[in-house]
Amino acid sequence: GDVTYASSIRSAVSVAERSMGAPLDACVCNAGAARPGLFLEDLTEEDFSAQIDVNYLGVVHTLKAALPGMVRRKSGAVALVSSGLPPP
């Protein structure tokens, strides 16, 4: 699914939990978006918003969908992955 849509993530987590018959054991947030070679002052507002939607809101949507089952079960692990691009 597309991490920028909370409904897409909720659906993906629901399908996974139904197929396993239990809440998720772990959640890895690893989506990321960047515009290679551009510095902050070179980004358009649209570029910047797209990065925030994926890099921040994608993590929020994913955790909001995955955490309730882990909390109910009192067990689970979360990994938040971030990476950067090398300079051009």
Side-chain angles (χ1 to χ4, degrees):
D2 184 335
V3 298
T4 63
Y5 296 102
S7 60
S8 176
I9 298 302
R10 284 192 305 268
S11 177
V13 169
S14 179
V15 166
E17 290 181 339
R18 275 197 315 270
S19 72
M20 293 186 308
L24 299 178
D25 291 320
C27 176
V28 178
C29 298
N30 190 38
R35 295 289 312 270
L38 292 181
F39 293 101
L40 181 61
E41 65 269 16
D42 299 324
L43 293 175
T44 66
E45 189 172 324
E46 184 177 271
D47 292 331
F48 186 74
S49 291
Q51 288 186 31
I52 294 298
D53 286 348
V54 173
N55 299 340
Y56 176 72
L57 293 178
V59 172
V60 171
H61 297 325
T62 303
L63 292 176
K64 285 185 73 166
L67 287 178
M70 292 181 192
V71 170
R72 278 192 308 277
R73 212 175 69 195
K74 297 182 181 174
S75 177
V78 172
L80 306 178
V81 180
S82 177
S83 63
L85 297 172

